[in-house]
Amino acid sequence: MIENILKQTQTTKETIEQITINEGIISIEEKCFEAFINLKTIQFPSTLQTIGYASFYNTGLQRITFPNNLQNIKSNAFAMNLQLKEIQFNE
């Protein structure tokens, strides 16, 4: 079973606007979605435990909802997200 998401290719950065990460993923590696400037929404699985360093640095995210099982958000994970207006933590 895949449990980690690794850094994506340069060509996908400019085209993706929405991402749904499947259940079972427990970590997003560092700089995985860095500079996905058109990424507006992301759906995290309930199984996610760690978001790596600069994983979502400089994206177009507008809203984030973190799952209950999230234990660790590394530094700069969401830095330079100038369009980010709302952060929510599930209870």
Side-chain angles (χ1 to χ4, degrees), residues 69-88:
N69 288 335
L70 188 63
Q71 299 170 9
N72 200 348
I73 300 174
K74 301 289 185 176
S75 65
N76 295 320
F78 296 95
M80 297 304 296
N81 280 272
L82 304 179
Q83 297 178 44
L84 186 59
K85 295 184 180 5
E86 182 180 334
I87 297 173
Q88 182 177 9

Side-chain angles (χ1 to χ4, degrees), residues 25-36:
I25 298 296
I26 60 170
S27 71
I28 299 172
E29 298 297 320
E30 70 177 43
K31 299 183 179 181
C32 187
F33 298 104
E34 177 185 27
F36 274 53

